[in-house]
Amino acid sequence: MSRIGKQPVTIPAGVKVAVNGSVVSIEGPKGKLSLTAHPDVKVSWKEADKAVHCEIDPARAGDRAVRSLWGTTRANIRNMVEGVTKGYERSLQLVGTGWSAAVMGKNLKLVCGFANSIMVPIPEGITVAVDKAQGETTPIKVSGYDKQLVGQFASAVRAKRKPEPYNGKGIKYAEEVIKRKQGKQFGS
């Protein structure tokens, strides 16, 4: 049995849930999200409990793949509920002397040591805020109501200039710790 899949997802006030076959739609104050569940996982909305329940066929409970889909579906629904009520945020830091970031319309402009600046398009549903540079670091905040989209955009921005281990320059997550290397030794 899946310990996560069998738990119901409680729905707070102000959130609307619609289950149409295997499609789950959740609408809240921040936005609207939908998920298509796997055919082996049955998703149902119980108005009396104000909760969404995920179930599988008991005959397939021994199948490891079905149990993992069960838990994953329940976790994705819970993430959707949290996203449309509170939202998600990832913080990045641009570390390097003279490096900067700025939001220009629907693009994020990164100046990070290359000959040309890099323009990263900001997808719908994502808001990006760039704070004033604090010494060598420039904080970038990525927020939105879709957890997967926020994480994917933050990962795409980080991939433009990954942090290097010798000087620590690059784009890194705020909570990330870069393992530093010593470098070459000259003389004796």
Side-chain angles (χ1 to χ4, degrees), residues 3 26 36 38 44 49 54 67 75 86 90 101 104 123 174:
R3 289 176 285 179
I26 298 178
T36 304
H38 193 272
S44 61
D49 298 347
C54 297
R67 284 197 321 265
K86 299 176 192 171
R90 275 318 287 261
M104 304 184 98

Side-chain angles (χ1 to χ4, degrees), residues 21-173:
S22 63
V23 178
V24 181
S25 298
I26 298 178
E27 186 173 357
K30 297 248 183 205
K32 182 178 180 178
L33 293 170
S34 65
L35 169 78
T36 304
H38 193 272
D40 288 333
V41 181
K42 308 280 186 282
V43 180
S44 61
W45 160 245
K46 303 223 166 91
E47 185 69 42
D49 298 347
K50 294 276 190 207
V52 175
H53 296 272
C54 297
E55 297 150 359
I56 60 169
D57 184 18
R60 302 276 323 260
D63 189 3
R64 187 178 188 140
V66 172
R67 284 197 321 265
S68 64
L69 285 169
W70 185 20
T72 301
T73 303
R74 190 259 179 207
N76 285 339
I77 293 172
R78 190 196 66 76
N79 288 340
M80 289 167 49
V81 170
E82 188 174 330
V84 298
T85 54
K86 299 176 192 171
Y88 289 100
E89 182 176 284
R90 275 318 287 261
S91 296
L92 298 164
Q93 290 179 343
L94 184 65
V95 181
T97 306
W99 294 11
S100 65
V103 178
M104 304 184 98
K106 295 191 179 235
N107 292 319
L108 176 65
K109 180 182 178 184
L110 298 171
V111 178
C112 52
F114 295 121
N116 298 323
S117 59
I118 300 170
M119 299 297 264
V120 183
I122 300 171
E124 278 301 312
I126 296 286
T127 56
V128 178
V130 178
D131 294 338
K132 223 177 187 181
Q134 301 164 350
E136 270 193 27
T137 64
T138 304
I140 304 168
K141 293 200 185 306
V142 179
S143 59
Y145 57 88
D146 188 354
K147 184 176 186 178
Q148 192 238 341
L149 195 59
V150 169
Q152 187 175 0
F153 180 74
S155 176
V157 171
R158 183 183 181 274
K160 298 300 177 190
R161 188 76 185 238
K162 289 184 182 175
E164 52 95 12
Y166 296 103
N167 296 322
K169 291 182 178 182
I171 302 171
K172 69 181 193 96
Y173 297 116

